[in-house]
Amino acid sequence: MTIRPIVRYPDPLLAQPAADVTVFDDVLRALADDLRDTMHAAPGIGITAPHIGVLLRVVVLDLGDGAKIYVNPKIAWASSELIMHQEGSVSMPGVNDDIQRHARVRISYQDLDGNTQIEESDGLRAVCHQHEIDQLNGMFWIQRLSRLKRERLIKRFEKLSRA
């Protein structure tokens, strides 16, 4: 269990899609442990393997009910109802903005043993599922903002990074 360095925006690694996990072994378990420890140290409520420079489809979320690991998650269904929720990233600390997301989603994923699982979520967990799956697909969260909002946010982040 190690706290790993977090890849910072605008590193091009954050724009690359992650590969499916095909081997479910102790190396994957160690990666999940490192992700959990790194996320808690950041601090954050969600992290993906690409956030620490590993281009694999692994997500760890902890919304106060213990860390949960999602391997190869995909959105299987999304509600037509939308919600706004404030989002940010461990790769861009100190800035956040409201993003529109589906209110409810159903995801399929694998656990650390490779068993397929299905989970339905709403509210914050649904937002986190969409946010982290976007990241696994190479879409950094600020790409969902208007150009003007995105540019303002980037300037604010650059200013914070220099301080």
Side-chain angles (χ1 to χ4, degrees):
M1 291 184 266
T2 307
I3 296 170
R4 302 240 205 134
I6 294 174
V7 174
R8 298 286 181 189
Y9 180 84
D11 193 303
L13 204 59
L14 296 169
Q16 292 184 35
D20 282 342
V21 171
T22 56
V23 178
F24 295 80
D25 59 5
D26 289 340
V27 173
L28 177 62
R29 284 176 179 70
L31 173 62
D33 287 343
D34 289 355
L35 281 167
R36 183 195 63 234
D37 293 346
T38 302
M39 177 189 67
H40 285 146
I45 60 172
I47 195 167
T48 66
H51 283 117
I52 62 167
V54 178
L55 287 174
L56 288 174
R57 293 184 72 83
V58 181
V59 171
V60 177
L61 293 180
D62 189 343
L63 306 181
D65 54 353
K68 186 154 185 186
I69 297 140
Y70 302 88
V71 181
N72 299 326
K74 292 181 176 52
I75 295 174
W77 170 85
S79 69
S80 57
E81 179 189 355
L82 301 173
I83 58 173
M84 294 293 282
H85 203 282
Q86 196 162 92
E87 297 184 27
S89 175
V90 295
S91 289
M92 196 179 209
V95 295
N96 49 54
D97 209 327
D98 288 333
I99 305 287
Q100 189 173 45
R101 299 277 187 184
H102 297 280
R104 293 181 312 284
V105 295
R106 180 182 311 119
I107 64 165
S108 64
Y109 67 97
Q110 291 169 285
D111 61 25
L112 286 173
D113 296 317
N115 300 312
T116 300
Q117 307 287 330
I118 304 283
E119 182 175 316
E120 289 202 27
S121 59
D122 60 9
L124 178 59
R125 187 169 297 274
V127 166
C128 289
H129 284 152
Q130 294 167 82
H131 175 103
E132 303 303 355
I133 290 170
D134 271 359
Q135 182 60 63
L136 294 177
N137 294 335
M139 177 183 264
F140 197 64
W141 72 279
I142 63 171
Q143 290 175 264
R144 293 207 173 262
L145 294 170
S146 70
R147 194 175 117 257
L148 180 62
K149 278 187 167 187
R150 187 170 51 246
E151 287 172 358
R152 284 183 181 158
L153 198 94
I154 290 168
K155 281 184 179 151
R156 194 170 346 132
F157 177 65
E158 288 169 347
K159 192 174 184 180
L160 283 170
S161 297
R162 285 191 301 269

